[in-house]
């Protein structure tokens, strides 16, 4: 699931939506046992998931936080079912990741959504079992007491920086709450791409094509990348310029990454 760009949430309390979500065209589906499920429906959501399994390929499960009384039952279910990955909310320490990975035997996507989690990003990224970081933007804004979205930019940079430093895939951006505002979804997805995120969480199938189009390299970017790679190959290691600009190793590597993303 390392290359998955669009991640679609579906509530565990809505089993009639499981198959629809799996067929909606998302790169990955997240069955949500946490925020989307009322407290009195947690047990029935687990039974819904057990009865519907297997749902398809590229399916992750968002369990309840390690501090939640639902955590043990959630990890036991995931140990039984073996989803492709576990999305761990309120990831705040290496111990959170390690305990989840050991209990489920599955890769962990650490959803970082508290100030404590961001303070501990270094140890979280070093934890065995961590597969990727995920941005819990809405909960973080609440925890920090901020209302301006720009106040979260430093946290976006932290996720991208730590992911790169620790050899993790580019992190996943948080959700765009508005389902009907396509412009907001596109704006958020383009910003995520510009900040260095590799994918985005979605809450409705209508968001999927918007996110995919916004985050994939544009035709102009692909054309530029091909020209850079061609020029570099023809130079056979010698210094070369293109459009009046020197092509050095970082430029060539950026072009190659763009072409890989386009593929």
């Amino acid at each position: 699931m390392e290359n998955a760009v669009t991640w679609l949430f579906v509530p565990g309390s809505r089993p009639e939506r499981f198959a629809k979500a799996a067929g909606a065209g998302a790169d990955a589906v997240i069955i949500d046992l946490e925020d989307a499920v009322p407290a009195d429906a947690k047990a029935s959501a687990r039974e819904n998931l057990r009865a519907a399994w297997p749902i398809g390929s590229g399916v992750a499960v968002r369990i309840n936080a390690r501090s939640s009384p639902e955590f043990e039952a959630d990890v036991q279910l995931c140990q039984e079912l073996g989803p492709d990955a576990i999305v761990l909310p309120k990831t705040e320490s290496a111990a959170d990741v390690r305990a989840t990975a050991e209990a489920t035997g599955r890769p962990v996507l650490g959803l970082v959504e508290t100030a404590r989690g961001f303070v501990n990003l270094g140890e979280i990224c070093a934890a065995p079992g961590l597969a990727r970081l995920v941005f819990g933007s809405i909960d973080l804004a609440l925890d920090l007491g901020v209302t301006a979205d720009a106040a979260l930019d430093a946290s976006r940079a932290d996720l991208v920086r730590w992911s790169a430093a620790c050899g993790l895939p580019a992190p996943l951006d948080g959700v765009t709450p508005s389902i009907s505002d396509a412009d907001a979804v596109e704006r958020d997805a383009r910003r995520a791409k510009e900040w260095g995120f590799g994918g985005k969480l979605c809450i409705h199938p209508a968001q999927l094509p918007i996110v995919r189009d916004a985050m994939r390299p544009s035709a102009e970017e692909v054309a530029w990348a091909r020209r850079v790679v061609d020029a570099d190959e023809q130079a056979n290691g010698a210094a070369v310029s293109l459009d009046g600009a020197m092509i050095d190793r970082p430029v060539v590597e950026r072009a190659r990454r763009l072409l890989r993303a386009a593929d």
Side-chain angles (χ1 to χ4, degrees), residues 36-255:
V37 179
D40 60 356
K42 300 287 188 181
S44 61
R46 285 190 289 269
E47 291 308 310
N48 292 338
L49 182 54
R50 178 181 283 110
W53 200 263
I55 295 170
S57 60
V59 176
V61 176
R62 177 161 76 168
I63 63 175
N64 287 274
R66 185 172 172 234
S67 59
S68 165
E70 305 292 338
F71 177 79
E72 292 298 332
D74 286 352
V75 297
Q76 289 176 12
L77 176 65
C78 291
Q79 185 179 43
E80 172 189 336
L81 301 182
D84 291 296
I86 306 296
V87 179
L88 179 63
K90 306 297 187 294
T91 301
E92 295 186 333
S93 68
D96 289 342
V97 175
R98 183 170 56 252
T100 304
E102 291 177 353
T104 63
R106 310 309 301 161
V108 175
L109 279 67
L111 181 55
V112 187
E113 48 190 342
T114 65
R116 183 181 297 275
F118 276 88
V119 168
N120 293 332
L121 271 179
E123 68 167 78
I124 290 171
C125 288
L130 183 74
R132 200 169 193 174
L133 294 175
V134 186
F135 188 24
S137 52
I138 295 176
D139 281 69
L140 179 63
L142 177 63
D143 195 35
L144 297 178
V146 300
T147 55
D149 188 74
L152 302 180
D153 285 349
S155 300
R156 293 186 173 92
D158 284 343
L159 287 176
V160 173
R161 184 183 303 114
W162 277 105
S163 294
C166 296
L168 295 169
L172 303 176
D173 192 25
V175 302
T176 299
S178 176
I179 296 173
S180 59
D181 190 345
D183 290 340
V185 177
E186 181 179 10
R187 181 184 64 247
D188 289 353
R190 290 192 182 281
R191 178 188 60 198
K193 174 187 173 184
E194 292 169 355
W195 274 95
F197 286 81
K200 181 171 171 57
L201 304 178
C202 301
I203 58 173
H204 192 277
Q207 296 180 337
L208 298 175
I210 302 172
V211 170
R212 187 175 296 112
D213 288 345
M215 296 198 71
R216 67 158 53 110
S218 66
E220 292 78 10
E221 287 176 318
V222 171
W224 171 85
R226 284 177 177 154
R227 292 177 63 223
V228 168
V229 171
D230 288 346
D232 178 66
E233 290 176 349
Q234 292 173 13
N236 196 27
V240 64
S241 65
L242 181 68
D243 299 332
M246 182 64 65
I247 299 177
D248 55 8
R249 186 194 61 78
V251 174
V252 175
E253 180 55 30
R254 175 170 178 267

Side-chain angles (χ1 to χ4, degrees), residues 12-29:
S13 55
R14 302 298 299 271
E16 74 278 6
R17 296 184 181 178
F18 292 175
K20 294 179 180 179
D27 296 319
V29 171

